[in-house]
Amino acid sequence: MRNHPFMNAQRKRGVLYVVATPLGNLDDLSQRVCDTLARVRLIGAEDTRRTGRLLSHLGIEVPMVSYHEHSEASRLDKLLETLDSGEDVALVSDAGTPLVSDPGYELVREALARGLAVVPIPGPSAVTAALSVAGLPTDRFLFAGFPPAKAAARRAFLGELGGQTCTLVLFESCHRIVDCIADLAGQFGKERRAFLGREMTKLHEEYLAGTLEELGERLRSGQIPARGEFVVVVAGATASGEGDAEQEARRLLAVLVEELPVSRAARVAAKLSGLPRARCFQLAEGLRRGDTT
């Protein structure tokens, strides 16, 4: 293994390694990941059972501590104490690159605040993997993580993103993917181009492109199984501003129809967006029914 400036034997404090692990296919493991995990004193893992299976596959025996968004403060303290004592620590998530829609930033933030070295060990990332095969612009993109689980909050969340001109990347679970795509079509328009990565790098991986309407229909019919983990990539809004008024009306109505009668919600949205009241009324009725037209 090539010498690293932080591997000096004279150093007094440990290094925190942020280690990317495979999304599914273990052949994506790099030798540097294997060497790092074997050498550290302690591993902070989102799920110790899942990471334990990876370590067992590699023949590595290193103590682990469960570290996730609901962990007690004592778990963070244990990792920091190990680093302060001069021992190295690795941080891993269930799959892919830690801190990308995963817990861990508090550990990194505190390590940096203490003047500790934090070193990334790059590797798989579901975000960049999906972008690389989506066939959509990648010069600018926005990663928005997981949309809210509840319908009203999800529609409002997506409505805030509808005017973005850069490519959008979202994560979604199999339990909500059908509703998520329907809401995307409702907020962004049925003809917006999109891409789905399902079970990426795993045995049943699948990559699908089309309009939001096409992908929604294939999900509802079962042609695309609503199983596994999904990465959703959506084309940005047209930079010309075409459809901005309707997009703004959709964003407003996603919130208004939850609080007001359809006619009043349409009237308010028309005043704020500049879209004709009749069209706002049509959109509001569709949202109330759960339609995406």
Side-chain angles (χ1 to χ4, degrees), residues 144-194:
F146 283 92
K150 294 187 176 179
R154 181 172 57 246
R155 289 168 186 162
F157 171 83
L158 296 175
E160 293 289 341
L161 299 175
Q164 293 284 341
T165 56
C166 59
T167 299
L168 304 172
V169 185
L170 303 148
F171 289 165
E172 190 52 282
S173 75
C174 58
H175 307 293
R176 292 185 291 274
I177 187 62
V178 175
D179 291 337
C180 178
I181 296 299
D183 288 339
L184 278 165
Q187 296 299 316
F188 293 12
K190 298 185 295 183
E191 297 305 311
R192 185 81 70 93
R193 300 294 301 178

Side-chain angles (χ1 to χ4, degrees), residues 189-249:
K190 298 185 295 183
E191 297 305 311
R192 185 81 70 93
R193 300 294 301 178
F195 168 89
L196 293 179
R198 187 179 77 86
E199 291 289 86
M200 294 176 60
T201 81
K202 301 175 185 176
L203 181 62
H204 300 292
E205 68 182 342
E206 196 170 11
Y207 303 103
L208 308 119
T211 65
L212 287 168
E213 181 179 36
E214 290 167 347
L215 293 173
E217 289 176 351
R218 295 175 70 184
L219 280 163
R220 288 190 295 273
S221 69
Q223 186 179 355
I224 301 174
R227 295 193 295 272
E229 299 173 325
F230 287 83
V231 181
V232 184
V233 186
V234 187
T238 55
S240 65
E242 182 181 351
D244 281 354
E246 180 155 331
Q247 184 61 58
E248 176 65 6

Side-chain angles (χ1 to χ4, degrees), residues 152 154-163 182-192 212 243-258 265-266 268-270 272-276 279-284 286-287 290-293:
R154 181 172 57 246
R155 289 168 186 162
F157 171 83
L158 296 175
E160 293 289 341
L161 299 175
D183 288 339
L184 278 165
Q187 296 299 316
F188 293 12
K190 298 185 295 183
E191 297 305 311
R192 185 81 70 93
L212 287 168
D244 281 354
E246 180 155 331
Q247 184 61 58
E248 176 65 6
R250 289 177 184 274
R251 184 185 70 80
L252 292 167
L253 287 166
V255 178
L256 292 172
V257 295
E258 299 294 330
V268 172
L272 294 175
S273 68
L275 196 70
R279 178 55 178 157
C280 287
F281 186 81
Q282 183 183 21
L283 292 172
L287 285 170
D291 294 346
T292 62
T293 54

Side-chain angles (χ1 to χ4, degrees), residues 67-143:
Y67 183 67
H68 48 76
E69 61 183 332
H70 303 298
S71 293
E72 298 175 357
S74 59
R75 306 287 178 86
L76 175 62
D77 292 339
K78 181 175 178 61
L79 292 165
L80 291 168
E81 288 169 4
T82 302
L83 290 164
D84 283 333
S85 72
E87 301 284 358
D88 294 338
V89 169
L91 175 67
V92 300
S93 64
D94 283 352
T97 301
L99 279 73
V100 180
S101 197
D102 284 315
Y105 79 92
E106 289 183 348
L107 173 59
V108 172
R109 180 179 62 188
E110 186 60 30
L112 292 171
R114 295 185 180 205
L116 293 163
V118 181
V119 177
I121 308 296
S125 165
V127 174
T128 53
L131 280 167
S132 71
V133 294
L136 294 171
T138 57
D139 54 331
R140 292 176 60 244
F141 68 89
L142 172 65
F143 173 61

